[in-house]
Amino acid sequence: MKTVSLFSGAGGLDIGAIKAGANIIWANDIMKDACATYKKNIGDHIVCGDLNEHLEELSELQNVDLVIGGPPCQGFSVAGKMNPEDPRSQMIWAYQEVVSIVNPRAFILENVKALGALSKWEGIRNQLLDGFRKLGYSTSYIVLNATDFDVPQVRERVFVVGFKGDINMTPNLHEMMQPYKRKAKTVRDTLSFLDKAGFGNNISTCNAKITLAATPVLRKSPYAGMLFNGLGRPLKIDGYSATLPASMGGNKTPIVDERELYNKEQPWIVRYHESITADPTKAKFELAPQFLRRLTVEEAAAIQTFPNGYQFQGSQCSKYTQIGNAVPCNLGYAVCQMVADVLNKKVKITPTIGKQTTLKL
């Protein structure tokens, strides 16, 4: 599949697309370190800079099969200011402009769950879908959880997918994605190939201190709430990670219990949570036990399902940002493989009966 990649970042979605058969002929991102990472691992066909300044050269591309990309999501995210006028939010329209210029056989647009789920964004969502239909695409969207597609991370994202053809037909992405589901491994199994933090193939340790909150926010689960200062939450080693944020690198970096990970001991956070739930006065501002530490760059990359040995460029803080911003490779692969199978006529588009609604898997 002759493919154009937009907002490529460190290449998470591109890795998945390549595995599904994509031949990426042109890619773009505005972050210099991400472009350097992309060049190091994927190829030098990435153009670094503002997409809007490179639209003219895209008009020279012929016979493109697929456009992929995840426009900046901060303006739509519940973790941000949710401002539709945020310049980053406007980049969904730049993506749509590229589709109009390149005229591919299909496209895949990824963004935060909120864009596909919140009534606040219904107007923008409908405008986006209608815009693609006016360009000649049967278009639909779906919210997917990465854990359903071999990613050990509870990370929900919306995918808008379009196929050149009958604009009055809405693809039933819920049914079309079912064959591509694959249950994820646990965090423990995912990290099993790595050495202990600070050694061998797991060298990039994060030194941000971990302190207990004097007034913790308690929830039923010890892995929710706020038991530590900062937004870094403990990893559920024998389960799935919460969403890895692009703000990792400081006190927002998730927390690993080394005794649990390496010695299979009972999680310290479970005992602590039980203790302060029974008696909140036991919660004090103090350093956490030394066997609690932050997730490393290599571990974060593994949880995002980047290939073993993927070489991120830039400062350590930049590496965390690139990883947090990425589409998990395995999730990207599942969506790209479904689209590839349609383009290669291995499967047919299943139509949706009735009105389009927010869909989940």
Side-chain angles (χ1 to χ4, degrees):
M1 298 178 294
K2 196 184 240 187
T3 302
V4 169
S5 170
L6 310 176
F7 313 102
S8 311
L13 182 55
D14 295 55
I15 291 293
I18 291 168
K19 185 178 178 181
N23 171 29
I24 302 175
I25 60 171
W26 196 90
N28 170 256
D29 200 83
I30 199 169
M31 183 181 180
K32 290 183 179 180
D33 286 346
C35 290
T37 295
Y38 192 103
K39 286 183 179 181
K40 182 74 173 179
N41 296 276
I42 300 177
D44 59 7
H45 53 265
I46 190 165
V47 176
C48 196
D50 187 335
L51 175 60
N52 289 307
E53 296 176 1
H54 294 278
L55 296 180
E56 186 175 341
E57 60 193 84
L58 284 167
S59 62
E60 301 174 3
L61 302 179
Q62 303 292 323
N63 302 316
V64 173
D65 295 302
L66 181 63
V67 170
I68 62 174
C73 60
Q74 293 90 339
F76 300 117
S77 174
V78 294
K81 295 182 179 180
M82 302 190 74
N83 177 15
E85 302 304 319
D86 187 318
R88 296 169 295 186
S89 302
Q90 301 303 308
M91 296 310 290
I92 60 172
W93 311 120
Y95 181 106
Q96 194 166 79
E97 176 67 13
V98 170
V99 171
S100 72
I101 293 171
V102 174
N103 193 31
R105 295 169 62 202
F107 68 83
I108 300 169
L109 184 155
E110 178 268 356
N111 213 275
V112 288
K113 174 187 175 182
L115 182 60
L118 295 188
S119 58
K120 178 181 178 69
W121 303 128
E122 183 176 6
I124 288 177
R125 187 163 59 242
N126 290 337
Q127 184 181 349
L128 187 66
L129 294 171
D130 289 344
F132 284 125
R133 288 168 184 147
K134 288 178 181 178
L135 292 176
Y137 293 88
S138 57
T139 306
S140 187
Y141 68 96
I142 187 169
V143 175
L144 300 178
N145 190 330
T147 59
D148 291 327
F149 299 93
D150 200 21
V151 179
Q153 181 184 174
V154 180
R155 188 184 187 98
E156 292 185 294
R157 291 294 186 268
V158 67
F159 286 84
V160 182
V161 179
F163 300 95
K164 200 73 175 178
D166 184 358
I167 63 172
N168 295 313
M169 188 270 289
T170 302
N172 188 335
L173 298 179
H174 178 80
E175 287 191 17
M176 294 171 70
M177 286 303 302
Q178 289 292 336
Y180 303 91
K181 293 174 70 174
R182 183 180 173 190
K183 185 176 175 61
K185 297 182 294 185
T186 65
V187 169
R188 181 188 301 281
D189 289 340
T190 300
L191 303 183
S192 62
F193 75 95
L194 290 170
D195 296 316
K196 289 190 175 182
F199 299 92
N201 62 0
N202 192 17
I203 199 70
S204 303
T205 56
C206 174
N207 296 319
K209 291 182 179 180
I210 303 174
T211 55
L212 302 176
T215 55
V217 178
L218 294 172
R219 297 286 186 268
K220 287 184 178 180
S221 169
Y223 299 96
M226 294 180 66
L227 306 186
F228 303 93
N229 293 306
L231 297 180
R233 290 181 175 176
L235 280 179
K236 198 170 186 178
I237 300 297
D238 288 309
Y240 300 135
S241 164
T243 298
L244 299 185
S247 55
M248 292 184 294
N251 67 5
K252 295 182 181 179
T253 310
I255 296 166
V256 175
D257 182 334
E258 291 198 325
R259 289 184 178 177
E260 179 187 8
L261 178 61
Y262 301 136
N263 304 330
K264 296 187 178 181
E265 294 185 13
Q266 182 188 20
W268 178 87
I269 193 67
V270 171
R271 300 194 304 273
Y272 179 68
H273 178 264
E274 291 174 350
S275 173
I276 62 174
T277 298
D279 182 2
T281 65
K282 291 185 177 180
K284 297 178 181 179
F285 172 69
E286 60 186 12
L287 286 174
Q290 290 187 347
F291 53 83
L292 298 186
R293 49 93 173 163
R294 303 286 182 180
L295 191 73
T296 69
V297 167
E298 292 80 9
E299 290 166 342
I303 290 172
Q304 282 281 57
T305 63
F306 276 97
N308 183 18
Y310 206 78
Q311 299 180 55
F312 294 89
Q313 306 299 296
S315 67
Q316 182 161 297
C317 183
S318 176
K319 292 175 182 178
Y320 276 114
T321 298
Q322 293 172 56
I323 293 168
N325 274 333
V327 177
C329 303
N330 287 356
L331 175 59
Y333 165 67
V335 180
C336 291
Q337 187 64 65
M338 180 274 290
V339 172
D341 286 344
V342 172
L343 295 183
N344 292 325
K345 298 182 179 180
K346 293 182 179 180
V347 299
K348 293 182 179 180
I349 298 175
T350 304
T352 296
I353 306 300
K355 185 179 179 182
Q356 166 79 44
T357 57
T358 299
L359 299 172
K360 289 185 180 182
L361 273 182

